[in-house]
Amino acid sequence: MTVRSWLRRARRALLAAGTTAVLAVGLLTGTASTSQAATQGPCDIYAAGGTPCVAAHSTTRALFASYNGPLYQVQRVSDGTTQNIGVLSAGGVANAAAQDSFCAGTVCTITRLYDQTGSGSTLVYQGPGGTGGADTAATATTEAVTVGGQKAYALYINPGNSYFAYSSPSGVPTGSSPEGEYMVTSGTHVNSGCCFDYGNTEIDHKADGNGAMDAINFSTECWFGGCSGTGPWVQADLENGLFSGGGKTWNPGQVSQTSRFVTAMLKNNGTTQMALKGADARSGGLTQLYSGALPSGWNPMHKQGAIILGSGGDCCQTNHNASAGTFYEGAMVKGYPSDATDAAVQANIAAAGYGSASTDTGSLTPGSRVSLQATTACCASDYLRHDDADTKVVISAINSSSSATDKADATWIVRAGLANSNCISLESANASGSYLRHYAFELYLNPNDGTTQFAADATFCPQPGISGTGHSLQSFNYPAKYIRHYDFTAYIASNGGTNAWDATSSWGQDTSWLAAAPWS
């Protein structure tokens, strides 16, 4: 535990004193069941249709029935050690339990997504220690999902995260050669920043002219203006423009894809024609969003054969990715897939059974009331509360003899996350409409002003307690930071950093909370 001021402790102790009665809740735990190997994966279907995969990436499952290698690599922030995460069995789902075990007690990032084709197009984060550049690797535990009922993790990209691959002999189409692509993404984690792409990009990280890219874009970005609706949309990033159809004017056939899980497809014959399709990745068929001529001035294509994920092509060596998005799986193929092949791939994705895995909410269920008890040895009788003297959020001792006001100050109403309903926000039990939020990394109780910024600052994603006890509450917009008490004041803190409250000593304990019976 960090050194704390005795005077500060005494001041906070005046808020309340005594012993504590605690009702601790159990952790949400899970063990991997035996994985059922797929009889075929998307890449088996593409191969049967004469358009074989030349790159295949996923954090959730194998994309070939026979694949039994690593899906991705995680790295512990605490000691820099890496570990590959594979599948439970050939053709099966990711071994999430291996990640949970390796990352217990610390934060992990996803540093690599392996190319399941064996062609060498492994996606590596665009930052120091990765491919070089200004970005960082995405946090590995931000979003858990289920695939066929088994737990897996998404690659949850926030602004400042991105990935890149280039292997010259990989077989990724270049020039005007035909190409097809798909990815499974989410309609609930998007923005209008440039550019959440997956697909063919420049090898030099520069915008090398019209047709130098051929990537799926999924976002609310309206490049040429005149868009109808609010998105997100499946579009084509062909460099120097995101295309909803075959030109710079808005394609009236476009449809917003707002499902929790979305299938996005792009195919381009390189010279005359392209098509865009979208669907709910859990059920139903594909919607043809566009099929027709390539935009004038973007044909023929001039593809270079590198692969981007999470950013545009002129990123991220000297700048940062501005986009947000989620990636579960995707592949690139040689040739122009038939509509029948597209339909069969969508059917395979739907049969995989993507579903929402609840975060470690335990008793942190929207609509419930809860008090959050510190677990560090120094402070086991202390609870997270707002301070009546100011708007700051602190910890102090609460017990059965505490005043009604003190008990209410330490009671929170759990709400669906203001920025993401899969997470939570904490509303004060005695200040209706006011929420716990961070500002300059310190926690405050402020009224909800209805802004996007407030919603993000007031949203936290529950995870299993980093210390192995209770819950840890991950910041939605700073996913490497968790709610922590330090010197009896509450912050969002990372495990190591330039701020005093980022101190590594006792970080796991200070960021782990018991969900106790509400005091009020």
Side-chain angles (χ1 to χ4, degrees), residues 219-256:
S219 69
T220 59
E221 189 171 5
C222 182
W223 187 276
F224 294 113
C227 302
S228 177
T230 58
W233 304 287
V234 180
Q235 301 185 82
D237 189 341
L238 307 182
E239 191 55 275
N240 295 335
L242 301 181
F243 293 89
S244 63
K248 296 182 181 180
T249 57
W250 184 249
N251 166 25
Q254 267 290 340
V255 178
S256 295

Side-chain angles (χ1 to χ4, degrees), residues 7 154 230 252 278 374 402-403 444 470 493:
L7 290 175
T230 58
S402 298
S403 70
Y444 296 87

